[in-house]
Amino acid sequence: KFTILFIDCIKKFVYGNFMNKILILSLLSIFIFSCSVEKSGARISLENYLTHLKNEEFQKAYNHMSNNLKERCLFNEFENKALSNYEALKHSRMIYSGERESNEKVRIEFIIKTDEREVDLFDLQIMDPYVSEETAAFIFESNNWKLDNLIWPIDWCEEIK
């Protein structure tokens, strides 16, 4: 019975209205194109940075930072801040908003959603109001996109005195 219905649908498409064919093919093309868009190098670098933080691989996360940022934030300070904010990071996810390029920098806008339940870091849905907006700036350095500003969960490095 399924094959008969399938064959009927094919016949309606082949012998049907020309405008319906164009509409279906256009929607199919848009769907295929939207699924094939690749992530930028800067976005991949951001995802790797946050994944390393979430996996407690702080040295690997630190390696995604620019030399300028490393001068302002030494690894020991970075690691201490990461450890003190780890609980919040463990229960959070990133929701990509968009990116723009200007002055040899790429700025990626994203939302951090914090939840007490176990969540996927790169989930696409916002389910409740515990969110904050962030913008990560990246520069191309040593053939890689490097984070050039401190972002959540490590917003600053200096010790408060």
Side-chain angles (χ1 to χ4, degrees), residues 92-95 111-113 119-123 125 127:
S92 65
R93 65 176 155 218
M94 180 189 99
I95 302 162
I111 298 170
I112 292 291
K113 181 192 179 296
V119 293
D120 178 23
L121 182 61
F122 303 108
D123 198 353
Q125 296 179 10
M127 299 179 80

Side-chain angles (χ1 to χ4, degrees), residues 144-161:
N144 290 307
W145 286 102
K146 301 287 185 167
L147 182 63
D148 200 38
N149 66 319
L150 290 173
I151 57 171
W152 183 93
I154 304 165
D155 302 274
W156 72 94
C157 252
E158 303 81 27
E159 288 298 320
I160 299 174
K161 297 181 182 181

